[in-house]
Amino acid sequence: MQNDFFKYQAQTTQFAAGFEVEKAEGSYIFGKDGRKYLDFVAGVSANTLGHSHPKIVNAIKEQADKYLHVMVYGEYAQEKPVELCRLLAEATPNPLEITYLVNSGAEAIDGSLKLAKRYTGREEIVSFKNSYHGNTHGALSVSGHEGHKREFRPLLPMISFIEFNNENDFDKITEKTACVILETIQGAAGFLVPNDDYLVKLKKRCEEVGALLILDEIQPGFGRTGKLFSFEHFGIVPDILVMGKGMGGGVPVGAFMSSKKIMETLSHSPKLGHITTFGGNPLIAAASHATLKEVLESGLMNEVDEKEKLYRELLVHPKIKNINGKGLMLAVNLGTPDFTLNVAKRCMEKGLIVFWQLYRNEYLRISPPLTISKEEITEGCKIILEVLNEE
């Protein structure tokens, strides 16, 4: 299988692991080599409730027995997509009230940018240096790392970039700005958290000039920071909220959410202002609804702070420079990219899956399922410390 993987399936790097998966359950992935591996990555923040959570699996099976795709997005009323959108509206503050379901976080970013332009009638966009929003042309255009963009230009025009946590850049947000888009917590840059009142001041500046604020919660959303969405820690509500990854608990999904007043502008002049064939797919919506319901009702979010504290207490070592992040999205600075990549490789050999940050390879990614136990955290951190002692 590994030979066919490299021969027939397109690769995203020249050093893919090619690890052969047999099955996955809870906090573990089981390989065809007969070993089990503790997962500290959760599919890059996607497996919110761990692997093969029974409530998600049962929701998928029940929906599969009823029907799969029946019509393009927005035409038919289907039980699970409607239930998902209603539950999202009930769980988020005003004016977030209506959701557009799509297939991925990157598509949701593209849809949110179109929505902001359509509603404001403006063309300019402000994004952030070192931001990451996805790899479609639109999402890549507002991502702030030139090394990942250079070979794909020309991209969208009229986009400027400001520095995260720097209030001196606010004067670049003007009456010509359609929207400001940012990750509530910068992901690829090393899980950077906004300063205390930075987002409050940013939202105020957007309101002053009539620009919409788009928050990308694709990574921190769905309980990863101890709140359903991480903006709830910072005293603001975005005009447009983007979500994905952990929303589906292991299936491909994305969405953007706003007020009815803003969202309805995509339905006319022109009609089909955004359209997707498989967005709102009932099978995916069933899994997403089961995930959201469990996150809201299980009490898992109440455990996040204690689990974060445990990671920070255990991961103390002379080779660890610092730990960024919040909740169960932590970035461990090991100094250099080469050393970090080697540590990740050695951890895998010892039965622990860790990864690295896209732009800042010196940071080791820790983003386990919310369901991970304290015993499993202790077990995994012991492996990391063993590797650091050996290197």
Side-chain angles (χ1 to χ4, degrees), residues 139-154:
L140 190 62
S141 298
V142 293
S143 294
H145 192 280
E146 183 58 25
H148 284 257
K149 297 163 62 170
R150 186 179 302 112
E151 303 303 323
F152 305 105
R153 292 191 177 279

Side-chain angles (χ1 to χ4, degrees), residues 3 19 43 91-92 124 134 174 184 186 190 199-200 225 235 239 307 323 328 330 338 353-355 377 382 385:
N3 289 337
F19 171 62
T92 51
E124 295 182 3
T174 72
T184 314
Q186 281 201 323
L199 292 184
V200 172
T225 66
D239 298 295
K307 291 176 180 178
I323 300 177
L328 292 179
L330 300 173
D338 287 345
I353 297 171
V354 287
F355 212 50
I377 291 172
K382 181 180 178 181
L385 294 174

Side-chain angles (χ1 to χ4, degrees), residues 48-49 222-223 228 291-299 301 370:
T48 301
L49 301 177
F222 292 86
L228 185 60
T291 301
L292 176 58
K293 194 168 185 291
E294 182 69 7
V295 168
L296 291 172
E297 297 178 357
S298 64
M301 288 190 288
L370 271 60

Side-chain angles (χ1 to χ4, degrees), residues 65-341:
D65 286 338
K66 294 178 181 178
Y67 59 89
L68 300 180
H69 176 74
V70 291
M71 178 53 73
V72 296
Y73 182 85
E75 291 296 319
Y76 290 0
Q78 302 172 61
E79 182 181 3
K80 288 305 177 183
V82 171
E83 287 184 355
L84 172 60
C85 292
R86 183 177 65 238
L87 189 55
L88 278 168
E90 292 170 351
T92 51
N94 291 328
L96 301 173
E97 57 186 337
I98 189 166
T99 301
Y100 197 121
L101 300 171
V102 293
N103 302 283
S104 70
E107 186 191 349
I109 292 292
D110 280 22
S112 73
L113 297 175
K114 290 169 64 180
L115 177 59
K117 287 182 173 182
R118 174 66 183 84
Y119 180 75
T120 63
R122 302 176 182 180
E123 300 176 347
E124 295 182 3
I125 296 170
V126 173
S127 188
F128 284 76
K129 298 173 184 178
N130 294 316
S131 60
Y132 177 77
H133 297 288
N135 270 273
T136 58
H137 262 70
L140 190 62
S141 298
V142 293
S143 294
H145 192 280
E146 183 58 25
H148 284 257
K149 297 163 62 170
R150 186 179 302 112
E151 303 303 323
F152 305 105
R153 292 191 177 279
L155 297 169
L156 291 181
M158 304 181 75
I159 298 172
S160 60
F161 292 87
I162 62 178
E163 188 175 346
F164 191 67
N165 277 330
N166 184 358
E167 297 171 28
N168 294 326
D169 280 352
F170 285 177
D171 60 358
K172 297 178 182 178
I173 304 168
T174 72
E175 286 79 4
K176 294 182 180 180
T177 304
C179 62
V180 176
I181 180 169
L182 79 158
E183 302 156 278
T184 314
I185 297 175
Q186 281 201 323
F191 290 161
L192 302 182
V193 178
N195 294 337
D196 291 343
D197 58 354
Y198 178 75
L199 292 184
V200 172
K201 293 178 179 178
L202 177 62
K203 179 67 184 297
K204 181 180 179 182
R205 177 60 180 172
C206 289
E207 291 172 345
E208 288 172 352
V209 300
L212 298 186
L213 179 63
I214 302 174
L215 288 184
D216 176 345
E217 290 266 357
I218 293 170
Q219 285 207 68
F222 292 86
R224 186 154 293 280
T225 66
K227 300 283 189 183
L228 185 60
F229 294 103
S230 65
F231 71 79
E232 297 174 76
H233 293 286
F234 303 108
I236 65 157
V237 181
D239 298 295
I240 304 174
L241 174 65
V242 180
M243 61 196 82
K245 283 191 183 292
M247 177 180 183
V251 299
V253 66
F256 54 105
M257 192 175 188
S258 191
S259 67
K260 186 173 182 64
K261 180 181 179 182
I262 293 174
M263 191 70 78
E264 67 182 4
T265 59
L266 287 180
S267 68
H268 63 89
S269 306
K271 63 180 182 297
L272 306 179
H274 190 73
I275 189 63
T276 169
T277 298
F278 289 112
N281 177 278
L283 198 71
I284 302 301
S288 299
H289 181 263
T291 301
L292 176 58
K293 194 168 185 291
E294 182 69 7
V295 168
L296 291 172
E297 297 178 357
S298 64
L300 284 168
M301 288 190 288
N302 297 329
E303 301 174 7
V304 168
D305 284 350
E306 287 300 315
K307 291 176 180 178
E308 176 189 356
K309 289 177 183 175
L310 182 58
Y311 271 113
R312 291 185 180 275
E313 289 170 1
L314 294 173
L315 292 177
V316 177
H317 192 279
K319 294 176 182 176
I320 295 175
K321 311 301 180 184
N322 65 284
I323 300 177
N324 290 341
K326 188 172 182 62
L328 292 179
M329 50 185 302
L330 300 173
V332 181
N333 186 354
L334 297 181
T336 67
D338 287 345
F339 183 65
T340 302
L341 296 176

